[in-house]
Amino acid sequence: LQNPIRKVVNMLQAMQKKVTEEAAVAEELHEKYLCYCKSSGGDLAASIETAEAKLGELGPAIEAAISKKAQLEKDLASHEADKQAAKAAVEEATALREKEKTAFDKEFAETKANHESVSKAVDALEKGMAGSFLQTRLAGVLRAFLVKNQEKLDGDRREVLSFLSGEQSGEYAPASGEIVGILKQMEDEMAQDLKDMAAAEEAAVQSYEELMRAKKSEESALTKATMEKLDRLGDISIEITEMKNDNTDTAKSLVKDKAFAADLKKNCASKEDVFEEEKKMRAEEVTALADTINMLNSDDALELFKKTLPSASASFLQLQTTTASMRAQARDLVKRVRSKVLPGHSDTRLDFI
């Protein structure tokens, strides 16, 4: 029959080994958890620091971008106003040029016709053909011109008007050559007027063309600036939207990271307390098991066991015992040993045995 004490000791030694192994595994897992706490805590701290720095930069960057956008919109409005002003100036200058050109054409044509009439009159009078000249269309043109401007005529030129009106009788006499002289003077003046008018018209055309070139150049520059700023406005609008979204996402992430960091710190501290408590309990279990094993291997335990066995004079029937009774004896022995070695100490593993 197997010694029940030896059986109990073997079981206790197996329990002691298992508790020791569990303690080693728990220690390893705890070290890994502490490493996780440190690494995760460090990563979270770095993430929080980065997010806070980013938020500190995004705020001013968004404000600067909004200010830049407002300035671009103001510039675009100014460019549009300048383009409209340039367009209005072109239309006004063109209308004025057309009006001046119409006036020039009319005046130039009239002056040219008058000049031609005076030239014809001089030629006719010098040839002694005053009578026949007075009947021509050119004489009528010249007469109409003088009548129209008679308030500006001096005495000499009034004589020419009187001559053209037929108020002087008889054919033209050489002694009356002063009329020819007056007409030649008028001819020279009209020729000069035609030159002056043509020069003024040419200068006006040149000035108009220079204005058109300047306005066209201005409009081209404004169009180019407008397109560039429209592109920049589009880019900065997108940039502002992206920065605002980034700011919102970063702020949300920061809140989550801070909450997670607080929970991690709390959980890690709590886990440390739990581990220390479990470590203390395992140490107590190992000590209790070691003490119990030592006690069961002691002489006192052997004496207690011998006292439970029947004497040599016992009958064959008395030597018959059941497994249940031996287990009961062993359990009673463990209880007595535990109460003797570890009074007041309760261990679930020994209770299980």
Side-chain angles (χ1 to χ4, degrees):
L1 186 66
Q2 184 182 5
N3 186 339
I5 293 180
R6 174 50 49 194
K7 189 174 182 179
V8 171
V9 168
N10 290 340
M11 294 177 65
L12 291 176
Q13 287 175 336
M15 290 174 59
Q16 186 181 33
K17 181 181 178 183
K18 186 175 181 181
V19 171
T20 303
E21 290 174 350
E22 288 177 352
V25 172
E27 184 74 29
E28 182 181 358
L29 291 175
H30 182 65
E31 289 298 325
K32 289 182 179 179
Y33 188 76
L34 288 180
C35 182
Y36 164 75
C37 288
K38 291 178 181 179
S39 61
S40 298
D43 292 342
L44 279 172
S47 177
I48 290 171
E49 183 179 358
T50 300
E52 289 177 341
K54 188 174 184 180
L55 288 175
E57 294 172 357
L58 279 174
I62 291 173
E63 293 298 324
I66 290 174
S67 176
K68 189 181 294 184
K69 179 184 176 185
Q71 184 60 49
L72 285 172
E73 290 172 342
K74 184 178 179 181
D75 291 345
L76 286 170
S78 177
H79 291 342
E80 182 60 26
D82 291 343
K83 285 174 66 176
Q84 293 300 323
K87 183 179 179 180
V90 167
E91 292 175 352
E92 182 180 356
T94 300
L96 179 60
R97 177 85 283 274
E98 291 174 352
K99 183 178 180 180
E100 290 175 347
K101 181 65 168 58
T102 300
F104 164 77
D105 290 343
K106 181 180 179 181
E107 185 178 3
F108 190 82
E110 290 178 352
T111 303
K112 185 176 181 181
N114 293 331
H115 179 263
E116 184 180 352
S117 298
V118 171
S119 296
K120 294 290 185 181
V122 170
D123 186 58
L125 291 174
E126 286 181 338
K127 292 180 180 180
M129 299 172 61
S132 60
F133 171 76
L134 292 176
Q135 304 302 318
T136 63
R137 182 188 64 81
L138 292 176
V141 171
L142 181 58
R143 185 167 49 249
F145 168 72
L146 292 173
V147 169
K148 182 179 179 181
N149 296 280
Q150 62 180 331
E151 70 276 2
K152 300 179 182 179
L153 300 179
D154 55 18
D156 292 339
R157 297 190 182 189
R158 289 183 182 278
E159 289 185 11
V160 175
L161 178 59
S162 177
F163 165 72
L164 293 172
S165 300
E167 296 177 2
Q168 294 182 356
S169 60
E171 292 292 329
Y172 173 73
S176 303
E178 58 180 301
I179 291 180
V180 173
I182 295 171
L183 289 174
K184 285 186 176 182
Q185 183 181 358
M186 291 175 61
E187 181 181 19
D188 293 339
E189 291 176 356
M190 287 181 179
Q192 186 60 46
D193 288 344
L194 289 171
K195 290 180 180 180
D196 292 343
M197 289 169 63
E201 174 65 10
E202 183 179 356
V205 170
Q206 183 177 357
S207 177
Y208 170 76
E209 290 176 347
E210 289 176 353
L211 176 63
M212 291 302 102
R213 284 193 294 271
K215 291 301 178 182
K216 184 177 180 180
S217 177
E218 179 183 359
E219 186 175 355
S220 177
L222 287 170
T223 299
K224 181 179 179 182
T226 297
M227 294 304 296
E228 290 176 350
K229 290 183 179 179
L230 280 173
D231 289 341
R232 289 164 58 191
L233 181 63
D235 292 341
I236 202 168
S237 297
I238 294 174
E239 183 181 347
I240 289 172
T241 300
E242 290 177 345
M243 286 194 294
K244 285 184 176 180
N245 291 338
D246 193 10
N247 188 75
T248 300
D249 293 342
T250 302
K252 290 180 180 178
S253 178
L254 178 61
V255 171
K256 291 180 180 179
D257 285 350
K258 284 185 175 180
F260 187 73
D263 289 341
L264 181 65
K265 183 178 181 181
K266 179 180 177 181
N267 292 336
C268 288
S270 175
K271 191 71 174 179
E272 180 70 19
D273 293 339
V274 171
F275 172 76
E276 290 298 331
E277 181 64 26
E278 291 178 348
K279 183 178 180 180
K280 180 180 178 183
M281 290 176 62
R282 287 192 188 94
E284 291 176 353
E285 289 177 359
V286 170
T287 300
L289 288 169
D291 290 344
T292 302
I293 291 169
N294 290 333
M295 185 59 193
L296 290 174
N297 286 329
S298 67
D299 294 338
D300 292 339
L302 182 59
E303 289 298 325
L304 286 172
F305 175 70
K306 287 180 179 180
K307 290 178 181 180
T308 62
L309 293 177
S311 63
S313 60
S315 66
F316 176 77
L317 292 176
Q318 289 176 325
L319 290 176
Q320 298 295 325
T321 181
T322 65
T323 302
S325 63
M326 291 186 69
R327 287 178 179 173
Q329 293 173 10
R331 183 169 59 250
D332 182 62
L333 178 61
V334 171
K335 287 181 179 179
R336 281 189 284 168
V337 169
R338 187 176 64 179
S339 63
K340 190 172 183 179
V341 177
L342 299 169
H345 179 77
S346 176
D347 186 278
T348 56
R349 298 172 188 262
L350 291 177
D351 291 340
F352 177 74
I353 294 173

